Amino acid sequence: MVVDEAAKEAVARLRANGHQASLVGGCVRDFLLGLEPKDWDVATSALPEQVSALFEDSKAVGTHFGVILWRGVEIATFREDGEYSDGRRPDSVKFVTKMKRDAMRRDFTINAMYMDPETLEVIDYFDGQGDLKSKVLSTIGSPFDRIREDYLRIFRAARFAAQFQLNIDGALFSAMAEEADNAGKIAVERVRDELVKILTGPDPGTGLYWLRACDAWSCSPHTQAMLAKLSNPPLSLAVAVFMDQESNPEAELRRLRFPNSLVDTVLAILAARAEVVALLENNSVSALRLAREPWFPDALELFRLRSEQTLERGRELLKRDLWPKPLLSGDDLMRRGIPQGPEIGRLLREIEDAQLIGRVKTKKEALDLITPS
Ligand code: ATP
Ligand code: MG
């Protein structure tokens, strides 16, 4: 693994001009894990206008946060975030000169490491390396405080746990579960972006597992089981599987503000799901037309996941007690004053139904079930 040349150059130039500068965040974490970073971020004590002056062909991206983009590298001034009065975004930011203050505003220990791009020396105030080694995700500071500051961190925790196969620290998980009710306060686009990263990541099933476990997101166990079979799937397939059990996928996709083009594709895949068998089995020209659609492979994949899921459900049924011993007889019912006739049969069947789904197990429970209260 080599450090990106532009990132090296950016750090070197900032330092040559008397500023502190270092690689930071996701790229350091990924580098230490031996993974190719998606993007290279630089943190510096230089103010945004000083950065702009040093890199002529740069442009300001996060004007509010003072982030400058130069040859694909994001150069951000050390900062502290102000209050998050709405649990969504900091109301203000304050530029600071100390690297440690910049580290403290970050969410998880593994996301707050700094690295010298030349010597590869790591500055790690909160033992992110220890957490990576022991495979746990933990926040910087109290997880309750950090999640109340920004509820999106619930989703981010699920995402990072799934992405890097980490356990979620016990206190962090408690905080997630306690604050999950507030998930609705987060800007929907931010949630969607984290969901997309979970869904298209290496282990979507685990990401959804964490979100379901803390009650931040409900999805059917079947959806989760199907997602668990995917790894780094294309976005359209991932979202189609995610929406497969939704009663009104279009409304949900629009609520999450997915772009129209994706909504159209996902709805087409979901619609084709029912047609695939019929069209493919009768070998019609319609099947060929369907196969020309760019999303046809995704539709086939959804069909496969669905079929496997259905088969598994069927096999699960075979493992259940399908012939439970009757808890009550017709005589028992007649002795309790129910007249002989079709009512007896109806009640016996009602009890058997309740036994099959495991709702009643004893004679007493069976009697309670049929005794009007
Ligand atoms: P990825 O590789 O997916 O981009 P990343 O760690 O770079 O992962 P980003 O969302 O790009 O994640 O954020 C970059 C860095 O900014 C993080 O590593 C973290 O230090 C900090 N950060 C981002 N979002 C938050 C947040 N909501 N709260 C605190 N710190 C955050
Ligand atoms: Mg990033």
Short mmCIF file of all heavy atoms in Angstrom, two decimals, residues 324-369:
data_model
loop_
_atom_site.label_atom_id
_atom_site.label_comp_id
_atom_site.label_asym_id
_atom_site.label_seq_id
_atom_site.Cartn_x
_atom_site.Cartn_y
_atom_site.Cartn_z
N PRO A 324 -48.76 -31.59 16.76
CA PRO A 324 -48.76 -31.53 18.22
C PRO A 324 -49.88 -32.39 18.79
O PRO A 324 -50.94 -32.53 18.17
CB PRO A 324 -49.00 -30.05 18.52
CG PRO A 324 -49.68 -29.51 17.31
CD PRO A 324 -49.15 -30.31 16.14
N LYS A 325 -49.60 -32.95 19.95
CA LYS A 325 -50.61 -33.78 20.61
C LYS A 325 -51.77 -32.91 21.04
O LYS A 325 -51.57 -31.86 21.64
CB LYS A 325 -49.98 -34.44 21.86
CG LYS A 325 -50.27 -35.91 21.92
CD LYS A 325 -49.47 -36.56 23.03
CE LYS A 325 -50.47 -37.33 23.87
NZ LYS A 325 -50.11 -37.43 25.25
N PRO A 326 -53.03 -33.31 20.72
CA PRO A 326 -54.18 -32.47 21.09
C PRO A 326 -54.20 -32.18 22.59
O PRO A 326 -53.96 -33.08 23.39
CB PRO A 326 -55.39 -33.29 20.66
CG PRO A 326 -54.88 -34.25 19.66
CD PRO A 326 -53.44 -34.53 20.01
N LEU A 327 -54.47 -30.94 22.94
CA LEU A 327 -54.52 -30.56 24.36
C LEU A 327 -55.91 -30.83 24.95
O LEU A 327 -56.04 -31.07 26.13
CB LEU A 327 -54.16 -29.08 24.52
CG LEU A 327 -52.71 -28.71 24.17
CD1 LEU A 327 -52.55 -27.21 24.08
CD2 LEU A 327 -51.75 -29.31 25.18
N LEU A 328 -56.92 -30.74 24.09
CA LEU A 328 -58.30 -30.97 24.54
C LEU A 328 -59.00 -31.87 23.53
O LEU A 328 -58.66 -31.87 22.35
CB LEU A 328 -59.07 -29.65 24.62
CG LEU A 328 -58.61 -28.61 25.65
CD1 LEU A 328 -59.40 -27.32 25.46
CD2 LEU A 328 -58.80 -29.14 27.07
N SER A 329 -59.98 -32.64 24.03
CA SER A 329 -60.77 -33.47 23.12
C SER A 329 -62.17 -32.87 22.99
O SER A 329 -62.54 -31.97 23.77
CB SER A 329 -60.87 -34.88 23.68
OG SER A 329 -61.63 -34.83 24.87
N GLY A 330 -62.95 -33.40 22.06
CA GLY A 330 -64.35 -32.98 21.92
C GLY A 330 -65.12 -33.21 23.23
O GLY A 330 -65.91 -32.36 23.65
N ASP A 331 -64.81 -34.33 23.89
CA ASP A 331 -65.48 -34.62 25.16
C ASP A 331 -65.19 -33.55 26.20
O ASP A 331 -66.09 -33.10 26.92
CB ASP A 331 -65.03 -35.99 25.71
CG ASP A 331 -65.66 -37.14 24.91
OD1 ASP A 331 -66.62 -36.86 24.15
OD2 ASP A 331 -65.17 -38.28 25.02
N ASP A 332 -63.89 -33.14 26.27
CA ASP A 332 -63.52 -32.07 27.22
C ASP A 332 -64.40 -30.84 27.00
O ASP A 332 -64.87 -30.22 27.96
CB ASP A 332 -62.06 -31.63 27.02
CG ASP A 332 -61.06 -32.68 27.49
OD1 ASP A 332 -61.40 -33.43 28.41
OD2 ASP A 332 -59.95 -32.74 26.91
N LEU A 333 -64.59 -30.52 25.74
CA LEU A 333 -65.36 -29.30 25.44
C LEU A 333 -66.83 -29.47 25.81
O LEU A 333 -67.44 -28.58 26.40
CB LEU A 333 -65.23 -28.94 23.95
CG LEU A 333 -63.81 -28.58 23.48
CD1 LEU A 333 -63.83 -28.17 22.01
CD2 LEU A 333 -63.21 -27.48 24.33
N MET A 334 -67.37 -30.66 25.50
CA MET A 334 -68.79 -30.90 25.81
C MET A 334 -69.02 -30.89 27.31
O MET A 334 -69.98 -30.34 27.80
CB MET A 334 -69.27 -32.22 25.19
CG MET A 334 -69.54 -32.04 23.69
SD MET A 334 -70.31 -33.46 22.92
CE MET A 334 -68.96 -34.55 22.73
N ARG A 335 -68.01 -31.45 28.05
CA ARG A 335 -68.12 -31.43 29.51
C ARG A 335 -68.15 -30.00 30.04
O ARG A 335 -68.63 -29.73 31.12
CB ARG A 335 -66.97 -32.22 30.14
CG ARG A 335 -67.48 -33.46 30.89
CD ARG A 335 -66.35 -34.26 31.49
NE ARG A 335 -65.78 -35.17 30.49
CZ ARG A 335 -64.49 -35.29 30.23
NH1 ARG A 335 -63.60 -34.53 30.86
NH2 ARG A 335 -64.08 -36.13 29.32
N ARG A 336 -67.60 -29.08 29.24
CA ARG A 336 -67.64 -27.68 29.67
C ARG A 336 -68.82 -26.93 29.06
O ARG A 336 -68.82 -25.69 28.99
CB ARG A 336 -66.32 -26.99 29.31
CG ARG A 336 -65.28 -27.33 30.37
CD ARG A 336 -63.89 -26.88 30.03
NE ARG A 336 -63.01 -27.15 31.16
CZ ARG A 336 -62.50 -28.36 31.44
NH1 ARG A 336 -62.79 -29.38 30.67
NH2 ARG A 336 -61.74 -28.54 32.49
N GLY A 337 -69.80 -27.67 28.61
CA GLY A 337 -71.07 -27.06 28.23
C GLY A 337 -71.19 -26.63 26.78
O GLY A 337 -72.14 -25.95 26.41
N ILE A 338 -70.19 -26.99 25.96
CA ILE A 338 -70.32 -26.63 24.55
C ILE A 338 -71.14 -27.73 23.87
O ILE A 338 -70.80 -28.90 23.96
CB ILE A 338 -68.94 -26.45 23.90
CG1 ILE A 338 -68.25 -25.25 24.58
CG2 ILE A 338 -69.05 -26.22 22.41
CD1 ILE A 338 -66.77 -25.25 24.49
N PRO A 339 -72.23 -27.33 23.23
CA PRO A 339 -73.11 -28.35 22.66
C PRO A 339 -72.45 -29.09 21.50
O PRO A 339 -71.63 -28.51 20.78
CB PRO A 339 -74.32 -27.55 22.17
CG PRO A 339 -73.82 -26.15 22.01
CD PRO A 339 -72.69 -25.96 22.97
N GLN A 340 -72.83 -30.36 21.38
CA GLN A 340 -72.31 -31.16 20.27
C GLN A 340 -72.69 -30.47 18.96
O GLN A 340 -73.77 -29.90 18.85
CB GLN A 340 -72.95 -32.55 20.34
CG GLN A 340 -72.27 -33.54 19.41
CD GLN A 340 -72.63 -34.97 19.78
OE1 GLN A 340 -73.59 -35.22 20.52
NE2 GLN A 340 -71.87 -35.91 19.26
N GLY A 341 -71.79 -30.49 17.99
CA GLY A 341 -72.12 -29.84 16.71
C GLY A 341 -70.87 -29.20 16.12
O GLY A 341 -69.77 -29.41 16.63
N PRO A 342 -71.04 -28.42 15.04
CA PRO A 342 -69.87 -27.88 14.32
C PRO A 342 -68.99 -26.94 15.17
O PRO A 342 -67.80 -26.80 14.91
CB PRO A 342 -70.50 -27.09 13.16
CG PRO A 342 -71.94 -26.91 13.49
CD PRO A 342 -72.32 -28.01 14.45
N GLU A 343 -69.57 -26.34 16.21
CA GLU A 343 -68.79 -25.45 17.07
C GLU A 343 -67.61 -26.19 17.70
O GLU A 343 -66.52 -25.64 17.85
CB GLU A 343 -69.74 -24.86 18.15
CG GLU A 343 -69.09 -23.86 19.09
CD GLU A 343 -68.60 -22.57 18.42
OE1 GLU A 343 -68.73 -22.45 17.18
OE2 GLU A 343 -68.04 -21.72 19.12
N ILE A 344 -67.82 -27.46 18.06
CA ILE A 344 -66.75 -28.26 18.66
C ILE A 344 -65.56 -28.35 17.70
O ILE A 344 -64.42 -28.08 18.06
CB ILE A 344 -67.25 -29.69 18.99
CG1 ILE A 344 -68.39 -29.64 20.02
CG2 ILE A 344 -66.10 -30.59 19.44
CD1 ILE A 344 -67.97 -29.60 21.45
N GLY A 345 -65.84 -28.70 16.47
CA GLY A 345 -64.78 -28.85 15.47
C GLY A 345 -64.04 -27.53 15.26
O GLY A 345 -62.81 -27.50 15.16
N ARG A 346 -64.80 -26.46 15.22
CA ARG A 346 -64.19 -25.14 15.00
C ARG A 346 -63.23 -24.80 16.14
O ARG A 346 -62.11 -24.35 15.91
CB ARG A 346 -65.29 -24.06 14.89
CG ARG A 346 -64.78 -22.76 14.28
CD ARG A 346 -65.79 -21.64 14.38
NE ARG A 346 -66.10 -21.25 15.75
CZ ARG A 346 -65.28 -20.53 16.53
NH1 ARG A 346 -64.10 -20.15 16.08
NH2 ARG A 346 -65.65 -20.24 17.76
N LEU A 347 -63.68 -25.06 17.38
CA LEU A 347 -62.83 -24.74 18.53
C LEU A 347 -61.58 -25.62 18.58
O LEU A 347 -60.48 -25.15 18.88
CB LEU A 347 -63.63 -24.90 19.84
CG LEU A 347 -64.68 -23.81 20.07
CD1 LEU A 347 -65.54 -24.15 21.30
CD2 LEU A 347 -64.04 -22.44 20.24
N LEU A 348 -61.74 -26.92 18.25
CA LEU A 348 -60.58 -27.81 18.27
C LEU A 348 -59.54 -27.36 17.25
O LEU A 348 -58.34 -27.39 17.50
CB LEU A 348 -61.01 -29.27 17.99
CG LEU A 348 -61.81 -29.94 19.12
CD1 LEU A 348 -62.29 -31.33 18.69
CD2 LEU A 348 -60.99 -30.04 20.40
N ARG A 349 -60.04 -26.91 16.13
CA ARG A 349 -59.11 -26.42 15.10
C ARG A 349 -58.42 -25.13 15.55
O ARG A 349 -57.22 -24.93 15.32
CB ARG A 349 -59.88 -26.18 13.80
CG ARG A 349 -58.96 -25.95 12.64
CD ARG A 349 -59.76 -25.55 11.41
NE ARG A 349 -58.86 -24.91 10.47
CZ ARG A 349 -58.16 -25.56 9.55
NH1 ARG A 349 -58.27 -26.85 9.42
NH2 ARG A 349 -57.35 -24.90 8.75
N GLU A 350 -59.17 -24.28 16.22
CA GLU A 350 -58.59 -23.03 16.72
C GLU A 350 -57.46 -23.32 17.71
O GLU A 350 -56.40 -22.68 17.68
CB GLU A 350 -59.70 -22.21 17.40
CG GLU A 350 -59.30 -20.76 17.66
CD GLU A 350 -60.42 -19.99 18.39
OE1 GLU A 350 -61.60 -20.16 18.01
OE2 GLU A 350 -60.11 -19.27 19.34
N ILE A 351 -57.68 -24.32 18.56
CA ILE A 351 -56.64 -24.69 19.53
C ILE A 351 -55.42 -25.26 18.80
O ILE A 351 -54.28 -24.93 19.11
CB ILE A 351 -57.19 -25.72 20.56
CG1 ILE A 351 -58.31 -25.08 21.38
CG2 ILE A 351 -56.07 -26.20 21.48
CD1 ILE A 351 -59.14 -26.08 22.17
N GLU A 352 -55.70 -26.10 17.80
CA GLU A 352 -54.57 -26.68 17.06
C GLU A 352 -53.75 -25.59 16.34
O GLU A 352 -52.52 -25.61 16.34
CB GLU A 352 -55.06 -27.73 16.06
CG GLU A 352 -53.90 -28.53 15.49
CD GLU A 352 -54.33 -29.54 14.45
OE1 GLU A 352 -55.01 -29.17 13.47
OE2 GLU A 352 -53.99 -30.73 14.62
N ASP A 353 -54.45 -24.62 15.76
CA ASP A 353 -53.74 -23.50 15.11
C ASP A 353 -52.82 -22.83 16.11
O ASP A 353 -51.65 -22.55 15.81
CB ASP A 353 -54.74 -22.45 14.59
CG ASP A 353 -55.42 -22.89 13.29
OD1 ASP A 353 -54.98 -23.91 12.72
OD2 ASP A 353 -56.37 -22.20 12.86
N ALA A 354 -53.37 -22.56 17.31
CA ALA A 354 -52.58 -21.88 18.34
C ALA A 354 -51.39 -22.74 18.79
O ALA A 354 -50.32 -22.22 19.08
CB ALA A 354 -53.45 -21.51 19.53
N GLN A 355 -51.57 -24.05 18.80
CA GLN A 355 -50.45 -24.94 19.14
C GLN A 355 -49.38 -24.91 18.05
O GLN A 355 -48.20 -24.87 18.35
CB GLN A 355 -50.96 -26.39 19.26
CG GLN A 355 -51.56 -26.73 20.61
CD GLN A 355 -51.91 -28.20 20.64
OE1 GLN A 355 -52.95 -28.60 20.12
NE2 GLN A 355 -51.06 -29.02 21.23
N LEU A 356 -49.85 -24.94 16.80
CA LEU A 356 -48.89 -24.96 15.68
C LEU A 356 -48.00 -23.73 15.70
O LEU A 356 -46.80 -23.83 15.46
CB LEU A 356 -49.64 -25.05 14.34
CG LEU A 356 -50.16 -26.44 13.98
CD1 LEU A 356 -51.12 -26.35 12.79
CD2 LEU A 356 -49.01 -27.39 13.67
N ILE A 357 -48.57 -22.57 15.98
CA ILE A 357 -47.71 -21.38 16.01
C ILE A 357 -47.05 -21.17 17.37
O ILE A 357 -46.34 -20.20 17.58
CB ILE A 357 -48.46 -20.09 15.57
CG1 ILE A 357 -49.64 -19.81 16.50
CG2 ILE A 357 -48.91 -20.17 14.12
CD1 ILE A 357 -50.27 -18.46 16.25
N GLY A 358 -47.30 -22.11 18.28
CA GLY A 358 -46.61 -22.06 19.58
C GLY A 358 -47.22 -21.10 20.58
O GLY A 358 -46.58 -20.72 21.54
N ARG A 359 -48.49 -20.72 20.35
CA ARG A 359 -49.10 -19.74 21.26
C ARG A 359 -49.67 -20.40 22.51
O ARG A 359 -49.71 -19.79 23.56
CB ARG A 359 -50.20 -18.97 20.52
CG ARG A 359 -50.60 -17.66 21.19
CD ARG A 359 -51.02 -16.64 20.16
NE ARG A 359 -52.29 -17.01 19.52
CZ ARG A 359 -53.47 -16.69 20.02
NH1 ARG A 359 -53.58 -16.05 21.15
NH2 ARG A 359 -54.57 -17.04 19.36
N VAL A 360 -50.13 -21.66 22.40
CA VAL A 360 -50.56 -22.36 23.61
C VAL A 360 -49.80 -23.68 23.73
O VAL A 360 -49.45 -24.31 22.73
CB VAL A 360 -52.09 -22.65 23.63
CG1 VAL A 360 -52.90 -21.38 23.45
CG2 VAL A 360 -52.47 -23.69 22.61
N LYS A 361 -49.51 -24.04 25.02
CA LYS A 361 -48.72 -25.24 25.24
C LYS A 361 -49.37 -26.17 26.27
O LYS A 361 -49.01 -27.34 26.35
CB LYS A 361 -47.32 -24.86 25.70
CG LYS A 361 -46.51 -24.16 24.61
CD LYS A 361 -45.03 -24.10 24.96
CE LYS A 361 -44.21 -23.52 23.84
NZ LYS A 361 -44.51 -22.09 23.59
N THR A 362 -50.27 -25.62 27.06
CA THR A 362 -50.86 -26.45 28.12
C THR A 362 -52.38 -26.48 27.97
O THR A 362 -52.97 -25.65 27.28
CB THR A 362 -50.54 -25.87 29.50
OG1 THR A 362 -51.17 -24.59 29.61
CG2 THR A 362 -49.04 -25.71 29.72
N LYS A 363 -52.95 -27.44 28.66
CA LYS A 363 -54.39 -27.60 28.66
C LYS A 363 -55.08 -26.31 29.16
O LYS A 363 -56.06 -25.84 28.61
CB LYS A 363 -54.74 -28.78 29.59
CG LYS A 363 -56.13 -29.28 29.44
CD LYS A 363 -56.23 -30.69 30.04
CE LYS A 363 -57.67 -31.14 29.96
NZ LYS A 363 -57.83 -32.58 30.16
N LYS A 364 -54.48 -25.75 30.21
CA LYS A 364 -55.06 -24.54 30.80
C LYS A 364 -55.06 -23.39 29.78
O LYS A 364 -56.05 -22.69 29.61
CB LYS A 364 -54.26 -24.16 32.05
CG LYS A 364 -54.56 -22.77 32.56
CD LYS A 364 -54.49 -22.65 34.05
CE LYS A 364 -55.09 -21.34 34.58
NZ LYS A 364 -55.10 -20.21 33.69
N GLU A 365 -53.93 -23.23 29.09
CA GLU A 365 -53.84 -22.16 28.08
C GLU A 365 -54.87 -22.39 26.97
O GLU A 365 -55.47 -21.46 26.46
CB GLU A 365 -52.44 -22.10 27.48
CG GLU A 365 -51.40 -21.49 28.41
CD GLU A 365 -49.96 -21.66 27.91
OE1 GLU A 365 -49.73 -22.43 26.94
OE2 GLU A 365 -49.08 -21.04 28.50
N ALA A 366 -55.08 -23.66 26.62
CA ALA A 366 -56.06 -23.99 25.59
C ALA A 366 -57.47 -23.62 26.04
O ALA A 366 -58.26 -23.04 25.27
CB ALA A 366 -55.97 -25.47 25.24
N LEU A 367 -57.76 -23.91 27.30
CA LEU A 367 -59.08 -23.56 27.83
C LEU A 367 -59.26 -22.05 27.89
O LEU A 367 -60.31 -21.51 27.50
CB LEU A 367 -59.27 -24.17 29.23
CG LEU A 367 -59.60 -25.66 29.22
CD1 LEU A 367 -59.48 -26.23 30.63
CD2 LEU A 367 -61.00 -25.91 28.66
N ASP A 368 -58.22 -21.35 28.34
CA ASP A 368 -58.31 -19.88 28.41
C ASP A 368 -58.58 -19.29 27.02
O ASP A 368 -59.30 -18.32 26.88
CB ASP A 368 -57.00 -19.28 28.94
CG ASP A 368 -56.84 -19.53 30.44
OD1 ASP A 368 -57.83 -19.96 31.07
OD2 ASP A 368 -55.73 -19.33 30.97
N LEU A 369 -57.97 -19.93 26.03
CA LEU A 369 -58.11 -19.42 24.67
C LEU A 369 -59.57 -19.44 24.19
O LEU A 369 -60.04 -18.51 23.53
CB LEU A 369 -57.24 -20.27 23.72
CG LEU A 369 -57.22 -19.85 22.26
CD1 LEU A 369 -56.36 -18.61 22.08
CD2 LEU A 369 -56.69 -20.98 21.38
#
